[in-house]
Amino acid sequence: MRICVYCASSEHVDRRYHDAAAALGCAIAEAGCTLVYGGGAVGLMGSLANGALAAGGNVIGIIPRFMTEVEWQHPGLANLEVVEDMRERKHRLLTGSDAVVALPGGCGTLEELFEAMTLKRLAIYLKPILLLDVDGFYAPLERFLERTIEQRFMNPQHRALWTRVERVEDVLPTIRATPDWDANARDYAAVR
């Protein structure tokens, strides 16, 4: 299984976020899955990759060329794919992935997450999307998404676009238990 993980590059976040990222990387590796992430060495990205590498995992980093020019890439990756820009990076992260997991992050993480959710809504991406809700980080976002449904910007079926989990140990069982999204989802992509 190939798991795409979105997460922050900030070093200045609480240690609990780093710990969750490292634990997720380790869990993915120990399950024999491949981790695909943004290729960075710092912040939650670095903690995630370090956790997976320490457990002997297969890690693929996908990073835009400009980030390698300022040496943001993880030096310990055997498989680092350098792409031209952020758009290609997002496309390559999702391509072939069996699931998406969003760790806490800022605008870049949220932008990647929302693109994946949009593609799922349009039946272009059909796999599970999980929000790893470390210490309630994603609870306000989930409330906001519920409001978009209440206000008819999305249909009630769109509640199933994402799944929020609170513990790292729930990530892989939830991925395995979540069926693929309906390939006919375009039939209800538009609000009715």
Side-chain angles (χ1 to χ4, degrees):
M1 189 177 342
R2 181 176 162 134
I3 300 175
C4 170
V5 178
Y6 301 139
C7 57
S9 60
S10 175
E11 280 290 325
H12 304 288
V13 299
D14 192 280
R15 189 72 227 160
R16 67 183 179 260
Y17 298 122
H18 286 277
D19 293 345
L24 178 62
C26 182
I28 290 169
E30 288 177 348
C33 300
T34 297
L35 167 64
V36 183
Y37 85 114
V42 298
L44 300 192
M45 282 204 277
S47 296
L48 173 74
N50 291 339
L53 292 169
N58 182 28
V59 180
I60 299 170
I62 302 176
I63 193 165
R65 184 171 314 287
F66 79 89
M67 289 184 181
T68 64
E69 292 167 359
V70 290
E71 299 181 348
W72 288 355
Q73 72 272 21
H74 195 295
L77 298 183
N79 193 344
L80 181 69
E81 299 176 19
V82 179
V83 296
E84 287 308 309
D85 55 34
M86 296 291 280
R87 288 183 181 166
E88 185 180 357
R89 178 201 220 180
K90 286 187 300 177
H91 175 74
R92 296 278 292 278
L93 284 168
L94 267 183
T95 300
S97 71
D98 297 297
V100 166
V101 179
L103 279 160
C107 59
T109 300
L110 294 172
E111 192 263 344
E112 291 166 331
L113 170 63
F114 276 107
E115 179 167 314
M117 289 174 62
T118 300
L119 293 174
K120 189 169 178 176
R121 180 175 173 173
L122 298 172
I124 295 169
Y125 184 76
L126 304 177
K127 301 299 181 178
I129 298 174
L130 277 65
L131 309 177
L132 183 47
D133 192 23
V134 179
D135 200 31
F137 183 86
Y138 279 117
L141 176 62
E142 190 169 53
R143 285 193 298 276
F144 175 76
L145 290 169
E146 288 290 339
R147 181 158 169 76
T148 67
I149 293 167
E150 291 165 9
Q151 297 297 312
R152 305 292 297 139
F153 291 100
M154 295 197 303
N155 284 319
Q157 298 97 317
H158 295 132
R159 279 187 183 93
L161 286 172
W162 71 92
T163 304
R164 185 170 58 93
V165 297
E166 296 179 353
R167 302 175 323 142
V168 168
E169 50 269 27
D170 294 332
V171 168
L172 289 166
T174 301
I175 289 170
R176 290 185 182 110
T178 303
D180 281 357
W181 188 244
D182 182 2
N184 297 313
R186 286 185 192 134
D187 295 343
Y188 53 85
V191 176
R192 298 190 198 293

